[in-house]
Amino acid sequence: MQPITPTIRVEADDFDLQAEIDALTAGRTDIGAVVSFSGLCRGEKGTLSALELEHYPGMAEAEMTRIAELAIERFSLMGLTAIHRFGKIEPGENIVLVIACSPHRQAAFDGANFVMDFLKTSAPFWKKEHAADGSPRDWVSAKDADDKAQEKWL
Amino acid sequence: MTKLVYFAWVRERIGKPDEDLDLPASVVTVGDLLTHLATLGEEYENALQYPDVIRVAINQEHVEHDEPIAGAREIGLFPPMTGG
C-alpha cells in the first residue's frame, strides 16, 4: 500500500468543504467512509464580533503534520486533510477542517476525532475575542476538558 | 545569540514578537531561561510571573521545562494553545 501523505494547510482564506472531500475521494474506489469535522466561530449570543487567530508560522504546519501522521498510522486511514485558518474570523465563518477517509466508518470517525483532540492541545494557535460592543476582550483560556479529551487517546 | 519568539499574551505583555538575546552560561534549561527572562524588566516579569503555565518550543518542537537549551536556534514562548 502507498504511504498516505496528509494534506495540511494553514491559511487566511476560507476553505470549501466539498472541494476538499472531492480532492480526497476523486478516482478512488477503496474508500468506504469519509468523516469531516468543521469548526465554526460562534457569535456568543451577539456579544462577539470576531475571533482573531494567531499562529506560530512553521511550527503550526509541522505540528499538524505530526498529528496527522500519527492518526494515519494509528487508524490506517486512506486519506486525511487538516486545514486551520488564521487572522480575523467572524461568527458563522469556518475556523478549522478535518477530513478522514477509511474503508469503514469507525476508523474515519476515530481518526477525525483524534486529530481534533490533539490539534486543540498541541497545535500552536491562539484565539483572541473581539467584543461586539467594542469593550476590551481577552485571549481565550485553555480548557481542562480539552486536555482530558486528548488524554483519552494515550 | 539565540532567537526568541513570543505569541499571544506572552507577546503582548513582553511588547515584541521576537528578539535575539545573548544568554548567560548559567542558563542551562528552559526553566532557567524563564527565570532569567523574568529579571530583564517589568514587562518580562509580568509575562512570566506564572512560569508553570508558559509553554515552550525549541526549534519549533514542544519541550518540557527541564529540557536543556543547548543548540537551540529558536525558542518559542507562548500560553497554552486554544486553536481548533
Side-chain angles (χ1 to χ4, degrees), chain A residues 76-132:
Chain A
S76 302
L77 300 176
M78 300 178 116
L80 182 64
T81 293
I83 300 172
H84 204 303
R85 295 181 63 199
F86 63 84
K88 209 164 188 181
I89 296 177
E90 294 182 359
E93 283 191 71
N94 291 315
I95 300 173
V96 64
L97 173 67
V98 173
I99 307 170
C101 305
S102 60
H104 302 283
R105 73 179 184 282
Q106 199 61 51
F109 274 122
D110 289 348
N113 199 11
F114 175 98
V115 169
M116 274 310 302
D117 282 347
F118 276 78
L119 203 148
K120 282 251 171 202
T121 52
S122 68
F125 291 88
W126 302 272
K127 292 188 182 106
K128 189 176 196 176
E129 295 181 325
H130 289 264

Short mmCIF file of all heavy atoms in Angstrom, two decimals, chain A residues 76-132:
data_model
loop_
_atom_site.label_atom_id
_atom_site.label_comp_id
_atom_site.label_asym_id
_atom_site.label_seq_id
_atom_site.Cartn_x
_atom_site.Cartn_y
_atom_site.Cartn_z
N SER A 76 -5.03 3.52 10.35
CA SER A 76 -4.87 3.04 8.96
C SER A 76 -5.74 3.83 7.99
O SER A 76 -6.46 3.25 7.17
CB SER A 76 -5.21 1.54 8.87
OG SER A 76 -4.39 0.81 9.75
N LEU A 77 -5.66 5.15 8.09
CA LEU A 77 -6.50 5.99 7.24
C LEU A 77 -6.02 5.96 5.80
O LEU A 77 -4.84 5.76 5.52
CB LEU A 77 -6.49 7.44 7.77
CG LEU A 77 -7.01 7.60 9.20
CD1 LEU A 77 -6.87 9.06 9.65
CD2 LEU A 77 -8.46 7.14 9.32
N MET A 78 -6.96 6.17 4.88
CA MET A 78 -6.63 6.19 3.44
C MET A 78 -6.50 7.61 2.91
O MET A 78 -6.13 7.80 1.76
CB MET A 78 -7.70 5.45 2.67
CG MET A 78 -7.80 4.01 3.11
SD MET A 78 -9.11 3.18 2.23
CE MET A 78 -8.14 1.99 1.35
N GLY A 79 -6.85 8.57 3.73
CA GLY A 79 -6.71 9.97 3.32
C GLY A 79 -7.01 10.86 4.50
O GLY A 79 -7.83 10.50 5.36
N LEU A 80 -6.30 11.99 4.59
CA LEU A 80 -6.52 12.90 5.71
C LEU A 80 -6.19 14.32 5.27
O LEU A 80 -5.14 14.58 4.69
CB LEU A 80 -5.65 12.52 6.90
CG LEU A 80 -5.83 13.36 8.16
CD1 LEU A 80 -7.23 13.20 8.73
CD2 LEU A 80 -4.81 12.97 9.21
N THR A 81 -7.11 15.23 5.55
CA THR A 81 -6.88 16.65 5.29
C THR A 81 -7.15 17.42 6.57
O THR A 81 -8.14 17.16 7.26
CB THR A 81 -7.83 17.15 4.17
OG1 THR A 81 -7.46 16.52 2.94
CG2 THR A 81 -7.73 18.67 4.00
N ALA A 82 -6.25 18.34 6.91
CA ALA A 82 -6.47 19.24 8.06
C ALA A 82 -6.11 20.65 7.62
O ALA A 82 -5.00 20.89 7.13
CB ALA A 82 -5.63 18.80 9.26
N ILE A 83 -7.07 21.56 7.79
CA ILE A 83 -6.87 22.95 7.40
C ILE A 83 -7.24 23.83 8.60
O ILE A 83 -8.29 23.63 9.22
CB ILE A 83 -7.77 23.33 6.20
CG1 ILE A 83 -7.44 22.44 5.00
CG2 ILE A 83 -7.60 24.81 5.84
CD1 ILE A 83 -8.40 22.60 3.83
N HIS A 84 -6.37 24.76 8.93
CA HIS A 84 -6.67 25.69 10.03
C HIS A 84 -6.47 27.10 9.52
O HIS A 84 -5.44 27.40 8.94
CB HIS A 84 -5.74 25.42 11.22
CG HIS A 84 -6.31 25.88 12.53
ND1 HIS A 84 -6.70 27.19 12.75
CD2 HIS A 84 -6.56 25.21 13.67
CE1 HIS A 84 -7.16 27.29 13.99
NE2 HIS A 84 -7.10 26.11 14.57
N ARG A 85 -7.47 27.94 9.74
CA ARG A 85 -7.35 29.33 9.29
C ARG A 85 -6.71 30.20 10.37
O ARG A 85 -6.71 29.86 11.55
CB ARG A 85 -8.74 29.89 8.94
CG ARG A 85 -9.37 29.18 7.76
CD ARG A 85 -10.73 29.78 7.43
NE ARG A 85 -10.61 31.18 7.02
CZ ARG A 85 -11.62 32.04 7.02
NH1 ARG A 85 -12.82 31.67 7.44
NH2 ARG A 85 -11.43 33.28 6.62
N PHE A 86 -6.19 31.35 9.95
CA PHE A 86 -5.70 32.34 10.90
C PHE A 86 -6.20 33.72 10.47
O PHE A 86 -6.75 33.89 9.39
CB PHE A 86 -4.17 32.29 11.01
CG PHE A 86 -3.44 32.64 9.74
CD1 PHE A 86 -3.19 33.96 9.39
CD2 PHE A 86 -2.99 31.63 8.89
CE1 PHE A 86 -2.52 34.27 8.21
CE2 PHE A 86 -2.32 31.93 7.70
CZ PHE A 86 -2.09 33.26 7.37
N GLY A 87 -5.98 34.69 11.36
CA GLY A 87 -6.45 36.05 11.08
C GLY A 87 -7.82 36.27 11.71
O GLY A 87 -8.21 35.55 12.63
N LYS A 88 -8.52 37.29 11.22
CA LYS A 88 -9.81 37.65 11.81
C LYS A 88 -10.93 36.79 11.21
O LYS A 88 -11.08 36.73 9.99
CB LYS A 88 -10.08 39.13 11.54
CG LYS A 88 -10.93 39.80 12.58
CD LYS A 88 -10.84 41.31 12.47
CE LYS A 88 -11.55 41.98 13.63
NZ LYS A 88 -11.48 43.45 13.53
N ILE A 89 -11.69 36.16 12.08
CA ILE A 89 -12.77 35.28 11.64
C ILE A 89 -14.06 35.67 12.35
O ILE A 89 -14.10 35.77 13.58
CB ILE A 89 -12.39 33.80 11.93
CG1 ILE A 89 -11.16 33.42 11.09
CG2 ILE A 89 -13.57 32.88 11.64
CD1 ILE A 89 -10.64 32.04 11.33
N GLU A 90 -15.10 35.93 11.56
CA GLU A 90 -16.36 36.41 12.13
C GLU A 90 -17.33 35.27 12.44
O GLU A 90 -17.19 34.17 11.88
CB GLU A 90 -17.00 37.42 11.17
CG GLU A 90 -16.14 38.67 11.03
CD GLU A 90 -16.73 39.72 10.11
OE1 GLU A 90 -17.83 39.49 9.55
OE2 GLU A 90 -16.08 40.77 9.97
N PRO A 91 -18.30 35.52 13.33
CA PRO A 91 -19.28 34.47 13.68
C PRO A 91 -19.90 33.86 12.42
O PRO A 91 -20.27 34.58 11.50
CB PRO A 91 -20.31 35.22 14.52
CG PRO A 91 -19.52 36.30 15.17
CD PRO A 91 -18.51 36.74 14.14
N GLY A 92 -20.00 32.55 12.43
CA GLY A 92 -20.56 31.83 11.28
C GLY A 92 -19.51 31.38 10.29
O GLY A 92 -19.79 30.51 9.45
N GLU A 93 -18.31 31.95 10.38
CA GLU A 93 -17.26 31.55 9.44
C GLU A 93 -16.53 30.30 9.93
O GLU A 93 -16.48 30.01 11.13
CB GLU A 93 -16.24 32.68 9.30
CG GLU A 93 -16.66 33.83 8.43
CD GLU A 93 -15.47 34.74 8.16
OE1 GLU A 93 -14.57 34.34 7.40
OE2 GLU A 93 -15.43 35.85 8.72
N ASN A 94 -15.90 29.63 8.98
CA ASN A 94 -15.10 28.45 9.28
C ASN A 94 -13.79 28.81 9.98
O ASN A 94 -13.18 29.82 9.65
CB ASN A 94 -14.72 27.72 7.99
CG ASN A 94 -15.91 27.07 7.32
OD1 ASN A 94 -16.72 26.44 7.99
ND2 ASN A 94 -16.01 27.23 6.01
N ILE A 95 -13.36 27.94 10.90
CA ILE A 95 -12.04 28.08 11.53
C ILE A 95 -11.14 26.91 11.14
O ILE A 95 -9.99 27.10 10.77
CB ILE A 95 -12.15 28.12 13.08
CG1 ILE A 95 -13.01 29.31 13.54
CG2 ILE A 95 -10.75 28.19 13.70
CD1 ILE A 95 -13.30 29.32 15.03
N VAL A 96 -11.70 25.71 11.25
CA VAL A 96 -10.86 24.53 11.11
C VAL A 96 -11.63 23.43 10.38
O VAL A 96 -12.85 23.36 10.47
CB VAL A 96 -10.37 24.05 12.50
CG1 VAL A 96 -11.52 23.62 13.38
CG2 VAL A 96 -9.33 22.93 12.41
N LEU A 97 -10.89 22.61 9.65
CA LEU A 97 -11.50 21.48 8.94
C LEU A 97 -10.60 20.24 9.07
O LEU A 97 -9.38 20.35 8.90
CB LEU A 97 -11.64 21.82 7.45
CG LEU A 97 -12.11 20.67 6.54
CD1 LEU A 97 -13.54 20.27 6.87
CD2 LEU A 97 -11.99 21.05 5.07
N VAL A 98 -11.23 19.12 9.41
CA VAL A 98 -10.52 17.84 9.40
C VAL A 98 -11.37 16.85 8.62
O VAL A 98 -12.58 16.75 8.86
CB VAL A 98 -10.27 17.30 10.83
CG1 VAL A 98 -9.69 15.90 10.79
CG2 VAL A 98 -9.33 18.23 11.59
N ILE A 99 -10.77 16.15 7.67
CA ILE A 99 -11.46 15.10 6.92
C ILE A 99 -10.61 13.84 7.00
O ILE A 99 -9.41 13.88 6.73
CB ILE A 99 -11.64 15.47 5.43
CG1 ILE A 99 -12.31 16.84 5.28
CG2 ILE A 99 -12.46 14.40 4.72
CD1 ILE A 99 -12.30 17.34 3.85
N ALA A 100 -11.26 12.74 7.39
CA ALA A 100 -10.56 11.45 7.47
C ALA A 100 -11.29 10.43 6.60
O ALA A 100 -12.52 10.37 6.62
CB ALA A 100 -10.50 10.97 8.92
N CYS A 101 -10.52 9.65 5.84
CA CYS A 101 -11.09 8.62 4.96
C CYS A 101 -10.54 7.26 5.34
O CYS A 101 -9.35 7.10 5.63
CB CYS A 101 -10.68 8.87 3.51
SG CYS A 101 -11.10 10.49 2.90
N SER A 102 -11.45 6.26 5.30
CA SER A 102 -11.03 4.89 5.60
C SER A 102 -11.99 3.92 4.90
O SER A 102 -13.01 4.34 4.36
CB SER A 102 -11.03 4.67 7.12
OG SER A 102 -12.33 4.87 7.63
N PRO A 103 -11.67 2.63 4.91
CA PRO A 103 -12.57 1.67 4.27
C PRO A 103 -13.91 1.57 5.01
O PRO A 103 -14.96 1.41 4.39
CB PRO A 103 -11.82 0.34 4.35
CG PRO A 103 -10.40 0.70 4.61
CD PRO A 103 -10.42 1.99 5.36
N HIS A 104 -13.87 1.65 6.35
CA HIS A 104 -15.08 1.52 7.17
C HIS A 104 -15.21 2.70 8.12
O HIS A 104 -14.23 3.37 8.41
CB HIS A 104 -15.04 0.21 7.96
CG HIS A 104 -14.91 -0.99 7.08
ND1 HIS A 104 -15.97 -1.50 6.37
CD2 HIS A 104 -13.83 -1.74 6.75
CE1 HIS A 104 -15.56 -2.54 5.65
NE2 HIS A 104 -14.25 -2.69 5.86
N ARG A 105 -16.43 2.92 8.63
CA ARG A 105 -16.71 4.19 9.30
C ARG A 105 -15.94 4.44 10.59
O ARG A 105 -15.58 5.57 10.89
CB ARG A 105 -18.21 4.34 9.54
CG ARG A 105 -18.77 3.46 10.65
CD ARG A 105 -20.26 3.67 10.83
NE ARG A 105 -20.79 2.91 11.95
CZ ARG A 105 -21.05 1.60 11.90
NH1 ARG A 105 -20.83 0.91 10.80
NH2 ARG A 105 -21.53 0.98 12.97
N GLN A 106 -15.73 3.38 11.41
CA GLN A 106 -15.20 3.64 12.75
C GLN A 106 -13.82 4.30 12.70
O GLN A 106 -13.54 5.22 13.47
CB GLN A 106 -15.13 2.33 13.56
CG GLN A 106 -15.03 2.57 15.06
CD GLN A 106 -16.24 3.34 15.60
OE1 GLN A 106 -17.38 2.95 15.35
NE2 GLN A 106 -16.00 4.45 16.30
N ALA A 107 -12.96 3.84 11.81
CA ALA A 107 -11.61 4.41 11.73
C ALA A 107 -11.67 5.87 11.29
O ALA A 107 -10.88 6.70 11.76
CB ALA A 107 -10.75 3.60 10.76
N ALA A 108 -12.60 6.18 10.40
CA ALA A 108 -12.71 7.57 9.93
C ALA A 108 -13.22 8.48 11.04
O ALA A 108 -12.70 9.59 11.25
CB ALA A 108 -13.63 7.64 8.70
N PHE A 109 -14.25 8.00 11.80
CA PHE A 109 -14.73 8.79 12.95
C PHE A 109 -13.62 9.00 13.96
O PHE A 109 -13.36 10.12 14.42
CB PHE A 109 -15.89 8.05 13.66
CG PHE A 109 -17.25 8.30 13.07
CD1 PHE A 109 -18.03 7.25 12.60
CD2 PHE A 109 -17.77 9.59 13.00
CE1 PHE A 109 -19.30 7.47 12.07
CE2 PHE A 109 -19.04 9.82 12.48
CZ PHE A 109 -19.81 8.76 12.02
N ASP A 110 -12.95 7.89 14.32
CA ASP A 110 -11.90 7.98 15.35
C ASP A 110 -10.73 8.84 14.87
O ASP A 110 -10.16 9.61 15.65
CB ASP A 110 -11.38 6.57 15.70
CG ASP A 110 -12.40 5.77 16.49
OD1 ASP A 110 -13.39 6.37 16.96
OD2 ASP A 110 -12.20 4.55 16.65
N GLY A 111 -10.37 8.69 13.60
CA GLY A 111 -9.23 9.45 13.07
C GLY A 111 -9.49 10.95 13.13
O GLY A 111 -8.65 11.74 13.56
N ALA A 112 -10.69 11.37 12.72
CA ALA A 112 -11.03 12.80 12.73
C ALA A 112 -11.08 13.32 14.17
O ALA A 112 -10.59 14.41 14.47
CB ALA A 112 -12.37 13.02 12.03
N ASN A 113 -11.65 12.50 15.06
CA ASN A 113 -11.76 12.88 16.48
C ASN A 113 -10.38 13.03 17.12
O ASN A 113 -10.10 14.02 17.82
CB ASN A 113 -12.56 11.77 17.18
CG ASN A 113 -13.14 12.19 18.50
OD1 ASN A 113 -13.15 13.37 18.85
ND2 ASN A 113 -13.61 11.22 19.27
N PHE A 114 -9.52 12.07 16.85
CA PHE A 114 -8.14 12.08 17.36
C PHE A 114 -7.41 13.33 16.89
O PHE A 114 -6.76 14.04 17.68
CB PHE A 114 -7.44 10.81 16.84
CG PHE A 114 -5.97 10.69 17.16
CD1 PHE A 114 -5.54 9.93 18.25
CD2 PHE A 114 -5.00 11.30 16.36
CE1 PHE A 114 -4.18 9.79 18.53
CE2 PHE A 114 -3.65 11.16 16.64
CZ PHE A 114 -3.24 10.41 17.73
N VAL A 115 -7.50 13.62 15.60
CA VAL A 115 -6.79 14.79 15.06
C VAL A 115 -7.29 16.07 15.72
O VAL A 115 -6.50 16.93 16.14
CB VAL A 115 -6.94 14.88 13.53
CG1 VAL A 115 -6.42 16.23 13.01
CG2 VAL A 115 -6.17 13.74 12.86
N MET A 116 -8.61 16.21 15.89
CA MET A 116 -9.13 17.42 16.53
C MET A 116 -8.69 17.54 17.98
O MET A 116 -8.32 18.62 18.44
CB MET A 116 -10.67 17.44 16.46
CG MET A 116 -11.22 18.02 15.19
SD MET A 116 -10.52 19.64 14.73
CE MET A 116 -10.91 20.63 16.17
N ASP A 117 -8.72 16.41 18.72
CA ASP A 117 -8.33 16.46 20.14
C ASP A 117 -6.87 16.88 20.30
O ASP A 117 -6.52 17.66 21.18
CB ASP A 117 -8.56 15.09 20.80
CG ASP A 117 -10.03 14.87 21.13
OD1 ASP A 117 -10.81 15.83 21.08
OD2 ASP A 117 -10.40 13.72 21.44
N PHE A 118 -6.01 16.37 19.43
CA PHE A 118 -4.58 16.72 19.53
C PHE A 118 -4.32 18.13 19.00
O PHE A 118 -3.47 18.85 19.52
CB PHE A 118 -3.70 15.68 18.82
CG PHE A 118 -3.40 14.50 19.68
CD1 PHE A 118 -4.35 13.51 19.88
CD2 PHE A 118 -2.20 14.39 20.35
CE1 PHE A 118 -4.10 12.43 20.71
CE2 PHE A 118 -1.93 13.31 21.18
CZ PHE A 118 -2.89 12.32 21.36
N LEU A 119 -5.06 18.49 17.97
CA LEU A 119 -4.88 19.82 17.39
C LEU A 119 -5.20 20.92 18.42
O LEU A 119 -4.50 21.91 18.54
CB LEU A 119 -5.81 19.90 16.18
CG LEU A 119 -5.49 20.89 15.10
CD1 LEU A 119 -5.96 20.34 13.75
CD2 LEU A 119 -6.20 22.18 15.38
N LYS A 120 -6.27 20.67 19.19
CA LYS A 120 -6.69 21.65 20.22
C LYS A 120 -5.60 21.89 21.25
O LYS A 120 -5.43 23.01 21.73
CB LYS A 120 -7.93 21.11 20.95
CG LYS A 120 -9.21 21.28 20.18
CD LYS A 120 -10.05 22.35 20.85
CE LYS A 120 -11.23 22.73 20.02
NZ LYS A 120 -11.74 24.05 20.38
N THR A 121 -4.90 20.83 21.65
CA THR A 121 -3.97 20.96 22.78
C THR A 121 -2.52 21.15 22.35
O THR A 121 -1.71 21.59 23.15
CB THR A 121 -4.04 19.71 23.68
OG1 THR A 121 -3.87 18.55 22.86
CG2 THR A 121 -5.34 19.62 24.41
N SER A 122 -2.17 20.81 21.11
CA SER A 122 -0.74 20.92 20.78
C SER A 122 -0.41 21.65 19.49
O SER A 122 0.76 21.88 19.22
CB SER A 122 -0.09 19.53 20.80
OG SER A 122 -0.56 18.75 19.75
N ALA A 123 -1.38 22.04 18.71
CA ALA A 123 -1.05 22.86 17.53
C ALA A 123 -1.01 24.33 17.97
O ALA A 123 -1.93 24.80 18.65
CB ALA A 123 -2.07 22.66 16.42
N PRO A 124 0.07 25.04 17.64
CA PRO A 124 0.25 26.39 18.18
C PRO A 124 -0.63 27.45 17.51
O PRO A 124 -0.20 28.17 16.61
CB PRO A 124 1.74 26.66 17.98
CG PRO A 124 2.14 25.80 16.82
CD PRO A 124 1.24 24.60 16.86
N PHE A 125 -1.88 27.51 18.01
CA PHE A 125 -2.84 28.54 17.61
C PHE A 125 -3.43 29.14 18.88
O PHE A 125 -3.60 28.42 19.87
CB PHE A 125 -4.00 27.94 16.80
CG PHE A 125 -3.62 27.43 15.44
CD1 PHE A 125 -3.15 26.13 15.28
CD2 PHE A 125 -3.73 28.25 14.32
CE1 PHE A 125 -2.80 25.66 14.02
CE2 PHE A 125 -3.38 27.78 13.07
CZ PHE A 125 -2.91 26.49 12.91
N TRP A 126 -3.77 30.42 18.81
CA TRP A 126 -4.39 31.10 19.95
C TRP A 126 -5.51 31.99 19.46
O TRP A 126 -5.37 32.68 18.44
CB TRP A 126 -3.34 31.95 20.70
CG TRP A 126 -2.21 31.13 21.18
CD1 TRP A 126 -2.12 30.45 22.36
CD2 TRP A 126 -1.00 30.83 20.46
NE1 TRP A 126 -0.93 29.77 22.43
CE2 TRP A 126 -0.22 29.99 21.27
CE3 TRP A 126 -0.49 31.20 19.20
CZ2 TRP A 126 1.02 29.51 20.87
CZ3 TRP A 126 0.75 30.72 18.80
CH2 TRP A 126 1.49 29.89 19.63
N LYS A 127 -6.62 31.97 20.23
CA LYS A 127 -7.78 32.78 19.86
C LYS A 127 -7.91 34.00 20.76
O LYS A 127 -7.86 33.88 21.98
CB LYS A 127 -9.07 31.97 20.04
CG LYS A 127 -9.23 30.81 19.08
CD LYS A 127 -10.63 30.22 19.23
CE LYS A 127 -10.83 29.03 18.32
NZ LYS A 127 -10.80 27.76 19.08
N LYS A 128 -8.11 35.15 20.14
CA LYS A 128 -8.43 36.36 20.90
C LYS A 128 -9.83 36.81 20.50
O LYS A 128 -10.16 36.83 19.31
CB LYS A 128 -7.43 37.46 20.60
CG LYS A 128 -7.57 38.66 21.51
CD LYS A 128 -6.51 39.69 21.25
CE LYS A 128 -6.45 40.68 22.42
NZ LYS A 128 -5.37 41.65 22.25
N GLU A 129 -10.63 37.18 21.51
CA GLU A 129 -12.01 37.58 21.24
C GLU A 129 -12.10 39.08 21.01
O GLU A 129 -11.42 39.86 21.68
CB GLU A 129 -12.90 37.21 22.43
CG GLU A 129 -13.00 35.72 22.66
CD GLU A 129 -13.91 35.38 23.82
OE1 GLU A 129 -13.93 36.14 24.81
OE2 GLU A 129 -14.61 34.35 23.73
N HIS A 130 -12.95 39.48 20.06
CA HIS A 130 -13.29 40.89 19.87
C HIS A 130 -14.76 41.05 20.21
O HIS A 130 -15.61 40.38 19.62
CB HIS A 130 -13.03 41.32 18.43
CG HIS A 130 -11.57 41.42 18.10
ND1 HIS A 130 -10.87 42.59 18.15
CD2 HIS A 130 -10.68 40.47 17.74
CE1 HIS A 130 -9.60 42.38 17.83
NE2 HIS A 130 -9.46 41.09 17.57
N ALA A 131 -15.07 41.93 21.15
CA ALA A 131 -16.45 42.11 21.60
C ALA A 131 -17.25 42.94 20.61
O ALA A 131 -16.72 43.86 19.99
CB ALA A 131 -16.47 42.77 22.97
N ALA A 132 -18.54 42.62 20.50
CA ALA A 132 -19.42 43.34 19.58
C ALA A 132 -19.58 44.80 19.99
O ALA A 132 -19.74 45.68 19.15
CB ALA A 132 -20.78 42.65 19.52
#
